[in-house]
Amino acid sequence: MKKSKSPAEQITAARAVSPRKALALTAAVLAGAITAPGGARPPAITATGCSGTGRTETEPESQAEITAGPAVNQPESPERPHGGQTVQGPAAYVDDFYDAVNHDTLNGWEIPAEQADMSWFRKAREDNYSKVNDLIRQASSEAGQAGQEAGSDLYNIRALNLTGLDRETRDREGYGRTAGAFLKEVDSAGSVSELLKACLQFQRDTGLFSLMGWYYEGDSGDSSVKVLYLSQPDSGLRREVWFSEDASNQKRVEEYKKYLTKLHENNGLSPEEAGVTVARVTDMMKDLASSTLKIEEVYDPEKTYNVCTAGEAANLYSSALPFRLLNSIFGIQEGEKTVVSQPDACRKLGSYLKEENLPLLKEYVKTCLYSDLSMMTDTASLDAAQEYQTAAGGIEKKKDFERTVSETVQEKLGFQCGRVFCETYFNEDAKQDVASIIRQIIDVYDNRLAHMEWMTESTRQEARKKLKAITVKVGYPDEWPQDKLNLVLKSPDQGGVYIDNIMEILKASQDYSFKTRHAPVDRNEWSMTPQTVNAYYNPGNNEIVFPAGILQAPFYDPQAEPVANLGGIGAVIGHEITHAFDTSGSQYDEKGNLRDWWTAQDKQHFRELAQKVIDYYDTMEVNGIQVNGTLSVTENIADLGGVSCITEIAKEKGYDLKELYHAYGVIWATKYRDEYLSYIMTNDTHSPGITRVNAVLSATDDFYTAFGVREGDGMYRRPEDRPHIW
């Protein structure tokens, strides 16, 4: 029963969303947060999504050729360790640049007991969380509610927060009106057809699903219109976790089963009954997972953009899904164009949709719903969810109750919180400054494309056309999605219930989505809230987006030297632009359409260059765990391209490259709990922080000149082994 979680959690999703949405969110520069109970969820659609874009940028400045700037002064030869002895303190720049620039920071950090990692991204997110939390508290106070209009941002924030804090009502009401009624329908279903009807209607009303999800999203084949998508069933955890031989992932599976067992106990089963039920359900989930795509395949549009008619999509389930159900509930037409992200997984589910499996299917559906709503219903389920999070992630302490509520408010009312956040904290001057840096990097990129030796002229022209068409969004949306919804939540004094308020939020989103399904794609929409500390490229809209939340130190500081901001936010910008030309983004054209604009010769050459990136990263390891170059290839290409661009700008402007690379190395400082590191190494498309620094700089020729790196140094790689694409 999946809907949506934060964009950061998308990375570990157990089921895919549309190819466009998946690609947009894996293009985010920040790796995902600890997995939510039951795996993770695709990003929330609260009247916004990856189909949205808005042209807010000004036209790039002159596209005149950028020549090499003044030569950077050569540094003195850096000191090296002697005789192979272990050197106390930071490593030498030439041996381990990441440690050299982050040693003191990492030693001074302690991972908070309730978190899985610590990084500058984490610290910035915590800072933004605290700011928004203060605004939530103020809105919820007796003084703060004065003058709040029904349905306003502050009004709905207050209502959701206060009902979330009302433990007594949460425990009494359980799954509330909407979800509670659905559970009764599941229990009373006398056939698979009746069960499917209940599930499909619930999905239409709330967006939550387990067996199958039907929804409208921007069409990868024609980015101007929306198309019907069919999502595969919920497998609970990714196939990489279910079938992993890694001890940490195996522990996650066992903790997941314990968590689901507790949920069933909370819902009336004895420990023995709950254990048997969960065993049956998780066997089904694992079997479903066996037919899903590998994580690296999920982000390949060639594998996920499978076009058929709605009737043909329904037939993936043999005769178990009468098309009349789809028509009566969703208004879907039999000949309607439909995209099936993972047809094999849907066929696998079809093998379960038999009358003899009805009891199992009911258990499966209820299990998925229990998990999806565990953080938002009774406090016993919340405790179970938190125990799972802590055990699976190696976390020492559960978050306090008030924080769990505040985080849910900030997620479910993300743009409502975002508007209040921007009105209070965002510096508009930063928006213009960052836009200027973006224009500089686009200019450099255009010059590089113009002189790319391995590209033929026709491909080069298409690439430059796509670059110039990139839409730039900085700060916050021009149009706020909540203004399109008629959302009025109820506070406790009005009889409001937390879970019912959340269902109302989901319903408002669904109603809007179906109301506008035949309307053109709204390119003003955002896929991240403004307070998010992250950034992304969306290939379906050919846009780069930098929320207000990331425009803070060490990524961006208006008081810092330009070279520091170039190494920080500049690298992030270059990273996101490069996603337009990575192994996934390069399959989309300047309009965001899935179209092959490459000559056969250039495509083959690009694949060879990408394979060199894969091979290069396959030689890396972190704490004895090998980096998966195939899994992380898109992000690694983006990292390499971003640093290459900022290096060229720094040289043109005469900046000290040592300062540039120092600023770049700093932003990736990260400490991980062992369990979490092991998990992301196999489930995250982003490389760990140390790899994002050392591997990238070891592949950057100018780094060798700046720091005097030579053969025998830890950072040294032979010139022929250094991957270069953009």
Side-chain angles (χ1 to χ4, degrees):
M1 204 58 65
K2 301 299 175 216
K3 175 66 173 172
S4 49
K5 278 292 189 184
S6 66
E9 292 172 327
Q10 156 61 18
I11 296 168
T12 53
R15 70 155 175 83
V17 290
S18 72
R20 288 162 52 102
K21 189 175 290 293
L23 284 167
L25 292 166
T26 53
V29 73
L30 172 61
I34 188 70
T35 312
R41 320 291 187 251
I45 308 174
T46 54
T48 151
C50 287
S51 57
T53 172
R55 283 203 161 279
T56 59
E57 87 282 17
T58 58
E59 291 296 317
E61 296 173 350
S62 171
Q63 300 294 320
E65 189 174 303
I66 299 176
T67 58
V72 177
N73 293 330
Q74 298 298 310
E76 298 290 330
S77 180
E79 294 184 4
R80 292 171 167 78
H82 299 282
Q85 300 287 322
T86 300
V87 178
Q88 298 296 319
Y93 291 117
V94 297
D95 288 320
D96 185 345
F97 190 82
Y98 175 85
D99 182 73
V101 300
N102 294 313
H103 182 88
D104 292 342
T105 296
L106 294 172
N107 278 352
W109 278 349
E110 287 189 15
I111 301 176
E114 67 277 10
Q115 303 290 357
D117 65 353
M118 175 52 68
S119 65
W120 288 115
F121 282 96
R122 171 72 68 187
K123 290 180 74 69
R125 283 160 49 188
E126 286 296 303
D127 182 59
N128 286 359
Y129 163 81
S130 296
K131 289 176 178 176
V132 176
N133 187 52
D134 288 343
L135 295 170
I136 292 172
R137 286 179 173 176
Q138 183 179 353
S140 302
S141 66
E142 187 172 342
Q145 64 179 294
Q148 293 177 5
E149 296 183 9
S152 66
D153 291 344
L154 292 176
Y155 181 94
N156 285 331
I157 288 170
R158 172 180 174 270
L160 188 59
N161 184 52
L162 292 181
T163 54
L165 294 172
D166 186 354
R167 292 174 183 258
E168 182 179 349
T169 302
R170 287 178 63 167
D171 287 338
R172 183 181 69 247
E173 296 295 330
Y175 289 90
R177 184 179 63 255
T178 302
F182 170 65
L183 286 171
K184 290 180 181 178
E185 287 187 65
V186 171
D187 281 329
S188 64
S191 64
V192 171
S193 180
E194 289 181 8
L195 178 63
L196 285 173
K197 181 180 180 181
C199 290
L200 292 171
Q201 187 62 59
F202 189 64
Q203 193 238 314
R204 166 58 183 86
D205 293 339
T206 67
L208 295 168
F209 70 91
S210 54
L211 295 168
M212 62 190 72
W214 301 83
Y215 60 98
Y216 288 87
E217 182 67 54
D219 186 359
S220 293
D222 181 357
S223 64
S224 66
V225 300
K226 301 170 187 174
V227 72
L228 180 65
Y229 281 88
L230 170 60
S231 187
Q232 74 269 17
D234 182 4
S235 61
L237 301 171
R238 282 196 182 278
R239 63 177 291 164
E240 284 79 6
V241 178
W242 280 121
F243 297 97
S244 176
E245 297 181 359
D246 174 76
S248 180
N249 281 327
Q250 290 177 347
K251 178 184 177 183
R252 181 175 292 270
V253 170
E254 292 308 308
E255 294 297 338
Y256 182 56
K257 292 178 179 179
K258 291 179 184 178
Y259 156 64
L260 297 181
T261 300
K262 289 180 181 178
L263 292 181
H264 278 283
E265 290 177 23
N266 293 342
N267 284 277
L269 296 187
S270 69
E272 293 75 16
E273 291 170 330
V276 172
T277 297
V278 168
R280 286 197 296 263
V281 170
T282 53
D283 282 348
M284 176 180 169
M285 286 179 168
K286 186 175 181 178
D287 191 33
L288 291 172
S290 69
S291 295
T292 61
L293 296 175
K294 297 177 180 178
I295 185 173
E296 56 266 29
E297 296 175 319
V298 169
Y299 308 112
D300 182 353
E302 288 186 351
K303 295 185 180 296
T304 58
Y305 190 69
N306 304 296
V307 178
C308 58
T309 66
E312 290 168 339
N315 287 336
L316 290 171
Y317 308 101
S318 300
S319 59
L321 178 62
F323 190 84
R324 65 178 183 276
L325 281 181
L326 299 179
N327 178 260
S328 63
I329 294 173
F330 298 99
I332 296 171
Q333 302 302 308
E334 192 165 2
E336 192 171 342
K337 180 180 178 180
T338 304
V339 178
V340 184
S341 301
Q342 299 200 40
D344 287 346
C346 297
R347 292 188 187 97
K348 173 66 74 170
L349 174 63
S351 69
Y352 282 91
L353 298 179
K354 302 173 181 178
E355 297 303 325
E356 59 264 31
N357 292 329
L358 182 60
L360 171 61
L361 293 170
K362 289 183 178 182
E363 292 171 342
Y364 165 82
V365 170
K366 290 194 291 185
T367 300
C368 293
L369 185 68
Y370 293 162
S371 178
D372 279 341
L373 301 184
S374 59
M375 301 284 289
M376 296 162 279
T377 54
D378 59 281
T379 51
S381 295
L382 171 61
D383 287 341
Q386 289 190 287
E387 288 170 7
Y388 167 62
Q389 288 179 320
T390 55
I395 299 171
E396 298 174 359
K397 178 184 176 183
K398 296 190 297 184
K399 296 176 182 177
D400 62 53
F401 176 71
E402 289 75 15
R403 173 149 187 159
T404 67
V405 175
S406 182
E407 287 184 346
T408 300
V409 173
Q410 296 190 36
E411 175 199 335
K412 301 301 180 185
L413 295 177
F415 283 96
Q416 287 87 342
C417 292
R419 179 154 56 186
V420 178
F421 170 83
C422 288
E423 290 172 349
T424 308
Y425 294 108
F426 186 56
N427 184 346
E428 291 290 339
D429 291 340
K431 184 173 184 177
Q432 301 304 318
D433 192 18
V434 171
S436 175
I437 298 173
I438 293 171
R439 288 194 295 271
Q440 292 179 49
I441 294 175
I442 288 177
D443 284 348
V444 168
Y445 230 109
D446 185 68
N447 180 66
R448 296 176 75 85
L449 290 172
H451 297 85
M452 197 64 62
E453 293 182 357
W454 59 268
M455 268 189 173
T456 60
E457 185 58 30
S458 62
T459 304
R460 181 183 295 110
Q461 289 179 4
E462 289 285 344
R464 295 181 74 187
K465 181 167 63 174
K466 180 176 184 179
L467 177 71
K468 293 177 181 180
I470 289 178
T471 297
V472 178
K473 298 178 180 178
V474 181
Y476 54 86
D478 291 336
E479 299 176 5
W480 292 91
Q482 62 266 40
D483 294 340
K484 303 173 184 178
L485 309 178
N486 185 27
L487 181 64
V488 182
L489 304 182
K490 293 182 179 179
S491 59
D493 59 318
Q494 298 170 316
V497 178
Y498 191 45
I499 186 62
D500 287 339
N501 275 335
I502 290 171
M503 291 295 117
E504 284 298 315
I505 297 170
L506 298 179
K507 185 177 185 303
S509 170
Q510 284 295 99
D511 288 347
Y512 181 81
S513 176
F514 277 87
K515 177 183 174 182
T516 60
R517 61 180 173 172
H518 298 308
V521 168
D522 184 354
R523 295 184 179 269
N524 290 312
E525 292 179 345
W526 282 46
S527 298
M528 279 183 185
T529 61
Q531 65 273 31
T532 302
V533 183
N534 214 328
Y536 67 93
Y537 169 73
N538 178 1
N541 290 339
N542 193 27
E543 64 180 3
I544 50 176
V545 184
F546 305 94
I550 199 173
L551 304 184
Q552 59 179 293
F555 315 104
Y556 171 79
D557 183 352
Q559 306 304 316
E561 293 295 323
V563 67
N565 284 332
L566 185 63
I569 195 66
V572 174
I573 293 166
H575 173 105
E576 299 307 337
I577 292 174
T578 305
H579 272 306
F581 306 102
D582 67 22
T583 51
S584 295
S586 61
Q587 298 183 52
Y588 293 78
D589 65 15
E590 79 280 0
K591 295 180 180 179
N593 295 329
L594 194 58
R595 177 175 70 85
D596 188 0
W597 46 270
W598 295 74
T599 66
Q601 174 186 343
D602 289 339
K603 181 186 290 187
Q604 179 59 32
H605 198 116
F606 177 72
R607 287 174 174 170
E608 292 171 359
L609 293 172
Q611 186 60 49
K612 190 171 182 177
V613 174
I614 293 172
D615 295 342
Y616 175 74
Y617 279 86
D618 276 343
T619 67
M620 313 289 173
E621 65 175 42
V622 180
N623 286 11
I625 306 172
Q626 184 179 339
V627 174
N628 185 337
T630 301
L631 171 63
S632 57
V633 62
T634 58
E635 298 300 329
N636 295 334
I637 290 174
D639 282 344
L640 292 165
V643 170
S644 179
C645 277
I646 63 172
T647 296
E648 186 163 336
I649 292 175
K651 291 167 67 176
E652 192 272 335
K653 292 184 175 293
Y655 295 155
D656 188 336
L657 290 185
K658 291 185 288 184
E659 294 182 13
L660 178 80
Y661 297 138
H662 187 280
Y664 173 74
V666 163
I667 67 173
W668 297 115
T670 312
K671 281 181 94 168
Y672 305 91
R673 297 192 186 277
D674 291 343
E675 293 87 348
Y676 185 50
L677 176 62
S678 180
Y679 180 75
I680 66 171
M681 291 288 286
T682 55
N683 288 272
D684 193 350
T685 57
H686 302 78
S687 297
I690 185 173
T691 308
R692 302 187 78 163
V693 176
N694 287 354
V696 170
L697 295 182
S698 288
T700 303
D701 295 337
D702 287 290
F703 173 75
Y704 290 72
T705 303
F707 285 94
V709 180
R710 59 178 183 258
E711 191 170 0
D713 294 331
M715 293 292 294
Y716 181 83
R717 298 292 185 275
R718 298 183 305 169
E720 61 267 31
D721 294 333
R722 303 170 198 168
H724 301 283
I725 299 183
W726 305 112

